[in-house]
Amino acid sequence: MRAFSYFSDSGVDVTSLENGTPRKTGESRLALGGICKTRRHKTGTYRASISDQHPGLQERNLQVWLGEIDENTFHNIDDPNSERREKNIFVGLTNLGATCYVNTFLQVWFHNLELRRSLYKCQNSRAQEHNIDSDYEPQSICEHLQYLFALLQNSNRKYIDPSGLVKALGLDTGQQQDAQEFSNLFLSLLEETLSKEKNPNLQNLIQQQFCGQFFYVTICNQCGRSSTLPSRFYELELNIQGHKNLTECITEFLKEEKLDGENRYFCENCQSKQNATRRIRLHSLPPTLNLQLMRFVFDRQTGLKKKLNTFINFPEQLDMEPFLERKLDQKCVYELSAVLIHRGISAYSGHYIAHVKDALTGDWYKFNDEEIEKMEGKKLQLGIEEDIAETGKTQSRKPKCSKGYHCSRNAYMLVYKLQEEESSDSLRTNVEVPSFLQKLVDQDNHKFEEWCMEMANMRKLSVDKGRAKHEEVKELYDLLPAKDGEPYEFIPLDWLKKWLDDSTATKEIDSSIFLCSHGKLHPDKMGEIKRVSLQAAKLLYERYGGGPRLDGSSLCRDCVSERCRVLRLKKQLDEDYKEISNLVKRMPSEGYWVGKASLRSWRQLALEQLEEDDDESRHSNGQTNGQGPHTNNKFGLDVSGGAEDETETFNEDIICNHGGLSILEAERKLVSTEVWTKLREYFPKAPEFPHIQEPCRQCLTLEQEEKDNEAVSKMMALDQKNQLLNLFHEKNRPTLIKWPQGTDRLYIVPLFFVEEWRKFIRRPTKSSPVSNVGNSLLLCPHGGFMFTYDSLINGEAQHIALLWPNEWEVISRLFIVDKPIVIHCVRQTTPDSSTTLYTTQPDLCWECRESFLFQQQRDLREYTQATVYIRKVIEDKMTAKDGTPELNACSSEAEEEREELPKVDGDKDPDFSQSQDGAKRMKLNDSCEASAATTSGTSMIKSGGIRRSTRHRKLRGEKALIVSANQTLKELKIQIMHAFSVAPFDQNLSIDGKGLTDDSATLGSLGVIPECIICLKADEPVTDYAAMDDAYQVRMPEEGFKGTGLLGH
């Protein structure tokens, strides 16, 4: 057998399957020279071309492999030296998700030389006794800071991981916190930890570095008495609103405050509340002065924090002497040493960075997590930190700054260091890492160097493999083409592409996926393999292994023959379709029965069958085309297993369940023998029914029995309807609100029973007859009644039906009654008055009734995942017009209402025209559909037996939200904001006219119950996009550092 491979336009010429002599063809694509009817046609017309070049082996890749190659193309490993610390650059800190606020303060504290020097002196026996063969794990906060500062000082890494400290503090790495609060809490924790040190110089380290003192001075306006209260501070919190520079902010901080009205001061001298004045008097200042610019403030209107993007001018040198109450001997001139920046317009998002001045060189550096940038010219350059896009009317121009001053709208903390006289004492400027810590740093540096070496070796190994592959490709490229008359083999095209694309490892050659079910080369796979020379194939298999090896004799003759048969039938199908379409118009007197559905779709079924036969994935080539595309056989012929897909096969539509001819004559058609012969050519296994074939006798018997049963059901329904005509038509019905005259008792049955009975009366042939009244649904486990007279007239009567005594007699005769339920009206008349009492039999079970009412009220207050409806109103008018339902809302309920309307169909009785599928659902609950004789009525009641609410009909402009009773109103407003795009502070919510205003209250306490309707009236929207962004960020109440190590937990 002749076979040739191809790439892109390759193929095979099978001109002689007998002798197997190879012969090359020049044709360009697969072609059929006609309908393959003979073996010669089958073998001679299956042709495809062959390319001796390498199409499909991407020319670009070949040019790369055959030319000079950059070694970086052989690996995807970054240069490990890119992770190495640059000369004269500090070490960065990894951002663990949202921990940039932690990193900024760590860098600022690290550059406080006195703090760093003192921390190095802390006792650390764990580090001193540590064995370098294991990893060092700090425990206390001081130990973590010691190790972290030592790494920041002498590590070889470009950045280090602070996860040990963050984990020890218990911080959530995915949640951004208030930076100022973190600073205060961390310094307090560090102060407490250092107070336990044995070295007295360390016990007050935090106070010595950061703590100052001021006095609250209060003067009584009545008697002039002055009261002084001392207070320590670690930072000065300065209001920036309405100010332009730092001097104004400090001046306002020290400004005199009047105490009057409700805020009057209790004077001990006057022994009464008096008007007074109060001011802050600075007493002493620390070496490190932290000035907190209050950019994040509470907005009373929105109930959220917001950021003030106000420009503030601050100096490089700050003279604090004018602000001190008493003059000190020493100078009070401070130099700017750090500026902490918050980039972003919202208080709930953004990014923190720090600009810090090196105390040794005077150079400024920008610390942005892992990235450290040295500023040019030893000057502070805030740069793009101020280029934050503004929105709306808040746009402002950056004011000009004088020499020695800087201006920022994102700086939230300024750190000033007390100016000292220049000293040549190196001990004051140089901070040496203690030997026990340096040993740990050396251990980490050693690990880093080992990692760099490992990465370099991996890069080198990949490069060496790539170069070897390079030489291999150049060697084999000239050997790949198979010359005329020389032996060849087939290699998978995808494997060759990967062999070129992959610069390192290549998997073994797998040719098994190109085999047909006979274990030979599938003709449809010729486009996925390449013909190569025998020498090249031998070298490839020796180096990479795999198989099976395919050559020119591997092409499957059976598959080629089957392909020709399929192609012939496909070409013949259109002609046969036209001919059969004309022949079936005739009315033959004899022939064969064919299903009308099959006759309408026989062309599509035949095409699908041919495609199925043409599918290379089938497991057997011996199948014949008598079945549908999924080989589903329902008529008992050669059944090999039921398929889940019930796609109809040809002529299956006239097969009954017993495997015989269907009794439905309207669904089949008699066709001539000529038509059937042509159809059998496409469907040889289709069921055959000659015109003399009798319909299935079993089906005829069942049909007659069904007709008899329908007649009995119609007679039963007509008889019951005539006896209970008023009940069926809902005429002359008794009510409890106005007790009917002439009777002292009424009978009660479940409304579900009456509805099911009416359904049977309307459609006796489609619905099952009702046999049991099922009164136990309305009783508790003790046999007591679950309703009171008052509850029935106040809404719970929607689940029961009232019967006249004469109707009850009829029902007792026609149906099984498990327990009669009667309500009596007893009139008691005295000379002075007349009273009416109502009693039930059985009596009311108060215990179960009270238990149910308690559970019902509890469910309304302690729900989870319940639905409420938000209805937006405009100018106190509903957006929905006249309560028009949404098209997609409550479709099943709308369907129920439609089906309640009688359908007029000719002379049929409208009472018997309702669809069975459209019957109303049981109103008690779905479980009640079980037999009332075997189901406890109490369980039905508890799960909704007297549920007042019915299915809600959603209106246009109304949206459903899922809420819980313990959810706050503020959280509901956030949900409403996402649903209606209305900010929380623009929402006015109400239920039945009662406003919902307490944002901190839970929905249960506000009376929000499941299925209720909350009206939303929106105020005019605000243009403060930052506030809107804040609202989007606040999904849950802020917890700050609750539960972390900063609060001692």
Side-chain angles (χ1 to χ4, degrees):
M1 181 181 67
R2 272 298 302 187
F4 291 91
S5 77
Y6 77 112
F7 288 101
S8 68
D9 285 330
S10 63
V12 70
D13 176 18
V14 191
T15 57
S16 177
L17 295 177
E18 293 85 357
N19 53 33
T21 304
R23 180 167 61 84
K24 189 175 180 181
T25 178
E27 297 189 10
S28 61
R29 59 174 59 90
L30 180 68
L32 282 176
I35 299 177
C36 308
K37 295 183 179 180
T38 66
R39 183 173 183 179
R40 179 172 174 272
H41 285 141
K42 292 177 182 178
T43 59
T45 59
Y46 196 85
R47 304 187 184 98
S49 69
I50 292 179
S51 173
D52 286 329
Q53 304 303 319
H54 301 270
L57 297 182
Q58 305 176 11
E59 192 66 25
R60 179 180 58 83
N61 286 347
L62 286 174
Q63 294 298 329
V64 170
W65 281 106
L66 296 178
E68 293 298 326
I69 302 180
D70 184 0
E71 66 177 24
N72 289 327
T73 61
F74 294 129
H75 64 81
N76 58 355
I77 303 173
D78 292 335
D79 185 1
N81 288 316
S82 63
E83 302 293 311
R84 188 180 299 277
R85 177 181 183 178
E86 298 180 20
K87 187 178 181 180
N88 297 327
I89 292 294
F90 289 101
V91 177
L93 291 167
T94 303
N95 190 333
L96 304 177
T99 57
C100 53
Y101 68 98
V102 178
N103 293 346
T104 56
F105 278 105
L106 288 176
Q107 294 286 8
V108 171
W109 294 329
F110 169 76
H111 283 79
N112 188 316
L113 300 185
E114 187 59 35
L115 176 63
R116 194 198 321 171
R117 182 184 297 109
S118 299
L119 282 175
Y120 284 160
K121 296 178 181 179
C122 290
Q123 184 68 23
N124 190 344
S125 57
R126 184 178 289 101
Q128 293 173 349
E129 299 171 1
H130 174 68
N131 184 356
I132 61 174
D133 295 333
S134 60
D135 291 334
Y136 172 62
E137 296 182 358
Q139 298 297 326
S140 69
I141 298 300
C142 283
E143 291 176 1
H144 276 288
L145 272 183
Q146 277 184 333
Y147 186 47
L148 199 63
F149 283 2
L151 289 174
L152 287 174
Q153 186 167 341
N154 289 340
S155 176
N156 292 344
R157 300 178 187 269
K158 183 178 181 180
Y159 48 85
I160 59 176
D161 185 358
S163 56
L165 174 63
V166 172
K167 184 178 180 181
L169 294 174
L171 301 178
D172 183 356
T173 58
Q175 182 177 2
Q176 190 174 94
Q177 297 282 12
D178 186 287
Q180 178 193 7
E181 185 180 5
F182 167 75
S183 172
N184 292 337
L185 292 176
F186 187 85
L187 288 179
S188 297
L189 179 62
L190 186 58
E191 181 180 13
E192 179 185 357
T193 305
L194 291 173
S195 65
K196 301 174 184 178
E197 286 287 328
K198 297 179 181 180
N199 188 341
N201 296 327
L202 300 178
Q203 294 176 356
N204 298 318
L205 173 63
I206 301 302
Q207 294 94 319
Q208 293 169 1
Q209 276 296 306
F210 303 103
C211 185
Q213 188 179 44
F214 57 69
F215 293 99
Y216 288 104
V217 180
T218 308
I219 301 176
C220 176
N221 291 352
Q222 180 67 25
C223 65
R225 180 180 180 272
S226 176
S227 172
T228 303
L229 178 65
S231 178
R232 295 191 307 176
F233 70 89
Y234 291 84
E235 60 184 27
L236 296 180
E237 298 181 354
L238 306 179
N239 175 38
I240 64 172
Q241 197 161 13
H243 300 302
K244 298 180 180 180
N245 55 60
L246 186 61
T247 302
E248 293 179 3
C249 298
I250 299 176
T251 301
E252 188 202 14
F253 179 77
L254 302 175
K255 184 177 65 176
E256 185 176 87
E257 175 188 7
K258 291 183 179 180
L259 304 179
D260 52 15
E262 295 182 357
N263 198 28
R264 287 185 298 169
Y265 162 72
F266 182 84
C267 178
E268 294 182 358
N269 189 35
C270 300
Q271 287 297 306
S272 62
K273 284 190 174 183
Q274 300 291 340
N275 292 338
T277 58
R278 174 176 292 170
R279 57 191 294 269
I280 293 176
R281 189 179 71 196
L282 285 178
H283 177 70
S284 62
L285 298 173
T288 302
L289 180 61
N290 293 327
L291 301 181
Q292 182 72 38
L293 305 182
M294 304 300 291
R295 290 203 175 274
F296 306 112
V297 297
F298 181 78
D299 189 342
R300 294 183 181 274
Q301 182 183 2
T302 64
L304 303 170
K305 285 195 303 182
K306 71 175 183 179
K307 180 184 177 184
L308 300 177
N309 294 293
T310 305
F311 280 106
I312 293 296
N313 206 311
F314 54 91
E316 291 184 359
Q317 285 192 352
L318 175 64
D319 187 0
M320 290 296 292
E321 187 174 0
F323 303 108
L324 290 172
E325 186 69 20
R326 62 186 183 89
K327 306 303 179 182
L328 302 177
D329 297 335
Q330 70 272 23
K331 293 184 179 180
C332 293
V333 178
Y334 286 79
E335 289 186 349
L336 185 65
S337 64
V339 181
L340 280 71
I341 298 290
H342 173 267
R343 297 177 60 184
I345 61 174
S346 168
Y348 295 96
S349 61
H351 182 57
Y352 290 92
I353 62 175
H355 291 261
V356 184
K357 183 179 182 180
D358 183 8
L360 299 180
T361 64
D363 294 326
W364 280 92
Y365 292 84
K366 181 171 75 172
F367 293 86
N368 185 6
D369 294 330
E370 298 90 347
E371 300 297 327
I372 312 297
E373 180 183 355
K374 182 180 179 182
M375 301 291 102
E376 297 180 0
K378 296 188 177 184
K379 293 182 180 180
L380 173 62
Q381 301 173 24
L382 297 180
I384 62 171
E385 280 70 42
E386 300 306 316
D387 298 336
I388 304 300
E390 296 177 294
T391 57
K393 301 178 180 179
T394 62
Q395 294 184 0
S396 57
R397 182 177 299 178
K398 181 178 180 180
K400 295 182 179 180
C401 295
S402 304
K403 186 177 181 180
Y405 284 81
H406 299 279
C407 191
S408 173
R409 60 179 166 187
N410 289 316
Y412 70 93
M413 187 171 185
L414 305 176
V415 180
Y416 283 90
K417 292 284 293 182
L418 187 63
Q419 191 178 59
E420 298 178 352
E421 295 182 1
E422 295 185 4
S423 174
S424 60
D425 186 3
S426 61
L427 295 178
R428 294 182 58 84
T429 56
N430 293 332
V431 180
E432 296 293 336
V433 177
S435 58
F436 71 92
L437 289 175
Q438 185 59 46
K439 180 177 63 175
L440 299 176
V441 174
D442 293 341
Q443 181 184 1
D444 183 75
N445 287 339
H446 180 68
K447 289 182 179 180
F448 175 69
E449 296 301 334
E450 286 183 341
W451 175 82
C452 289
M453 184 66 69
E454 182 182 357
M455 292 297 103
N457 290 336
M458 290 176 61
R459 281 166 57 103
K460 184 177 182 304
L461 182 61
S462 297
V463 170
D464 292 343
K465 289 183 177 180
R467 293 194 180 282
K469 173 66 73 64
H470 186 198
E471 296 300 325
E472 180 186 52
V473 171
K474 290 195 294 184
E475 174 191 356
L476 289 177
Y477 181 73
D478 293 332
L479 296 178
L480 282 178
K483 299 180 181 179
D484 292 342
E486 293 184 358
Y488 59 87
E489 289 190 17
F490 296 116
I491 299 294
L493 179 59
D494 282 343
W495 186 91
L496 286 172
K497 290 179 179 179
K498 291 180 180 178
W499 176 64
L500 289 177
D501 291 340
D502 191 351
S503 60
T504 55
T506 302
K507 296 182 179 180
E508 65 178 19
I509 304 171
D510 182 13
S511 301
S512 61
I513 60 175
F514 304 109
L515 302 181
C516 67
S517 58
H518 313 103
K520 306 285 283 183
L521 178 59
H522 199 295
D524 286 350
K525 298 295 185 179
M526 298 301 295
E528 302 176 28
I529 55 179
K530 173 169 175 58
R531 185 172 68 95
V532 301
S533 68
L534 181 62
Q535 184 181 2
K538 183 178 179 181
L539 288 174
L540 290 174
Y541 276 107
E542 286 178 354
R543 296 179 182 179
Y544 299 102
R549 298 178 67 165
L550 305 175
D551 56 21
S553 63
S554 301
L555 187 65
C556 181
R557 181 174 61 183
D558 292 338
C559 287
V560 172
S561 300
E562 176 64 15
R563 169 55 61 85
C564 289
R565 184 190 72 83
V566 171
L567 292 175
R568 176 179 60 82
L569 288 177
K570 281 186 177 180
K571 186 172 182 180
Q572 181 182 333
L573 181 60
D574 290 339
E575 298 178 2
D576 287 345
Y577 177 74
K578 294 178 182 178
E579 185 175 357
I580 290 176
S581 297
N582 292 327
L583 291 175
V584 295
K585 296 177 181 178
R586 304 174 185 175
M587 301 293 294
S589 58
E590 58 182 24
Y592 295 86
W593 291 110
V594 178
K596 290 183 178 180
S598 295
L599 201 58
R600 286 192 297 268
S601 60
W602 80 267
R603 184 175 182 272
Q604 181 63 27
L605 290 174
L607 185 61
E608 291 175 352
Q609 181 58 55
L610 292 175
E611 295 292 345
E612 178 73 12
D613 294 341
D614 199 21
D615 187 359
E616 41 116 21
S617 64
R618 69 183 187 275
H619 298 289
S620 173
N621 194 48
Q623 294 179 347
T624 54
N625 57 339
Q627 300 177 337
H630 297 278
T631 63
N632 189 21
N633 193 333
K634 293 185 180 179
F635 40 83
L637 300 177
D638 190 24
V639 177
S640 60
E644 292 182 1
D645 193 344
E646 297 183 357
T647 304
E648 187 174 344
T649 58
F650 185 77
N651 228 22
E652 182 194 29
D653 49 326
I654 59 173
I655 300 291
C656 72
N657 294 332
H658 312 104
L661 180 62
S662 172
I663 62 176
L664 302 176
E665 296 184 5
E667 296 182 359
R668 63 178 189 259
K669 180 178 179 61
L670 190 65
V671 299
S672 64
T673 304
E674 181 181 4
V675 172
W676 180 249
T677 302
K678 288 185 175 294
L679 292 174
R680 287 283 288 182
E681 188 174 353
Y682 292 94
F683 309 105
K685 296 186 69 175
E688 184 176 279
F689 297 105
H691 70 282
I692 58 175
Q693 178 81 37
E694 294 185 359
C696 176
R697 292 189 175 276
Q698 290 178 268
C699 289
L700 291 173
T701 302
L702 292 174
E703 183 185 32
Q704 186 59 43
E705 292 178 356
E706 185 178 353
K707 290 180 179 179
D708 294 341
N709 292 334
E710 289 180 355
V712 172
S713 296
K714 287 182 179 180
M715 291 177 58
M716 181 188 300
L718 184 60
D719 178 56
Q720 293 181 4
K721 176 183 177 183
N722 291 333
Q723 295 189 62
L724 299 169
L725 194 61
N726 285 343
L727 179 62
F728 176 75
H729 288 298
E730 295 189 83
K731 294 181 179 179
N732 190 25
R733 306 314 308 150
T735 63
L736 294 177
I737 298 177
K738 185 179 181 181
W739 189 271
Q741 300 293 328
T743 183
D744 61 348
R745 69 185 187 278
L746 295 173
Y747 288 84
I748 295 176
V749 296
L751 181 62
F752 172 68
F753 159 75
V754 177
E755 290 177 339
E756 290 297 303
W757 174 73
R758 287 192 183 119
K759 187 200 308 183
F760 167 70
I761 299 300
R762 291 190 182 102
R763 305 195 68 189
T765 61
K766 300 296 183 181
S767 303
S768 300
V770 180
S771 60
N772 198 317
V773 174
N775 272 349
S776 60
L777 293 174
L778 307 177
L779 305 177
C780 74
H782 312 108
F785 195 46
M786 286 294 293
F787 302 89
T788 66
Y789 173 79
D790 291 335
S791 69
L792 289 176
I793 64 176
N794 288 328
E796 292 180 355
Q798 60 180 316
H799 303 302
I800 68 167
L802 295 174
L803 303 179
W804 297 102
N806 63 329
E807 291 176 333
W808 176 253
E809 293 179 4
V810 175
I811 285 180
S812 300
R813 267 196 335 266
L814 297 178
F815 307 99
I816 300 173
V817 178
D818 47 0
K819 185 78 172 180
I821 302 176
V822 190
I823 182 168
H824 297 274
C825 175
V826 181
R827 293 182 173 89
Q828 298 178 348
T829 304
T830 63
D832 298 330
S833 62
S834 176
T835 59
T836 303
L837 300 177
Y838 299 95
T839 61
T840 62
Q841 185 182 358
D843 294 333
L844 177 71
C845 181
W846 283 105
E847 179 183 356
C848 294
R849 174 71 181 176
E850 290 177 356
S851 176
F852 166 74
L853 292 176
F854 175 78
Q855 184 64 37
Q856 186 182 48
Q857 293 300 319
R858 181 178 178 181
D859 291 342
L860 292 178
R861 296 291 181 267
E862 300 181 6
Y863 53 87
T864 58
Q865 300 297 302
T867 301
V868 298
Y869 299 91
I870 311 300
R871 186 173 297 171
K872 189 175 182 182
V873 297
I874 301 176
E875 296 180 357
D876 297 328
K877 294 183 179 179
M878 297 294 178
T879 56
K881 296 181 180 179
D882 300 327
T884 305
E886 275 193 8
L887 295 179
N888 61 346
C890 303
S891 59
S892 58
E893 181 175 321
E895 181 182 353
E896 291 172 5
E897 293 182 355
R898 288 198 306 270
E899 289 162 353
E900 284 297 310
L901 299 176
K903 302 175 184 177
V904 180
D905 185 9
D907 57 352
K908 292 184 179 179
D909 187 349
D911 294 339
F912 292 85
S913 63
Q914 185 182 12
S915 170
Q916 180 186 18
D917 297 334
K920 277 194 174 182
R921 295 177 58 190
M922 180 178 180
K923 291 296 187 294
L924 294 179
N925 78 1
D926 297 338
S927 305
C928 297
E929 294 180 3
S931 173
T934 60
T935 306
S936 170
T938 300
S939 64
M940 309 303 171
I941 299 278
K942 285 186 177 180
S943 61
I946 57 174
R947 176 172 55 85
R948 297 184 181 181
S949 61
T950 57
R951 197 179 321 176
H952 177 78
R953 183 175 300 174
K954 194 165 64 172
L955 307 179
R956 292 190 181 94
E958 182 177 294
K959 296 185 180 181
L961 298 180
I962 304 298
V963 299
S964 301
N966 59 355
Q967 184 175 326
T968 64
L969 181 62
K970 181 178 180 180
E971 293 166 2
L972 174 63
K973 287 184 175 182
I974 298 299
Q975 290 181 260
I976 295 175
M977 179 182 68
H978 290 287
F980 289 92
S981 298
V982 178
F985 41 82
D986 288 331
Q987 298 174 18
N988 297 297
L989 305 180
S990 62
I991 298 180
D992 298 329
K994 178 184 177 182
L996 306 178
T997 57
D998 189 353
D999 286 348
S1000 61
T1002 63
L1003 300 186
S1005 65
L1006 292 173
V1008 178
I1009 62 175
E1011 303 293 323
C1012 73
I1013 299 174
I1014 300 176
C1015 292
L1016 164 66
K1017 183 178 179 181
D1019 293 336
E1020 287 297 323
V1022 299
T1023 57
D1024 188 352
Y1025 297 100
M1028 178 66 79
D1029 181 60
D1030 292 342
Y1032 270 101
Q1033 296 293 334
V1034 182
R1035 300 289 201 280
M1036 299 296 292
E1038 291 184 76
E1039 295 186 355
F1041 293 96
K1042 180 181 178 181
T1044 68
L1046 293 171
L1047 295 177
H1049 299 292

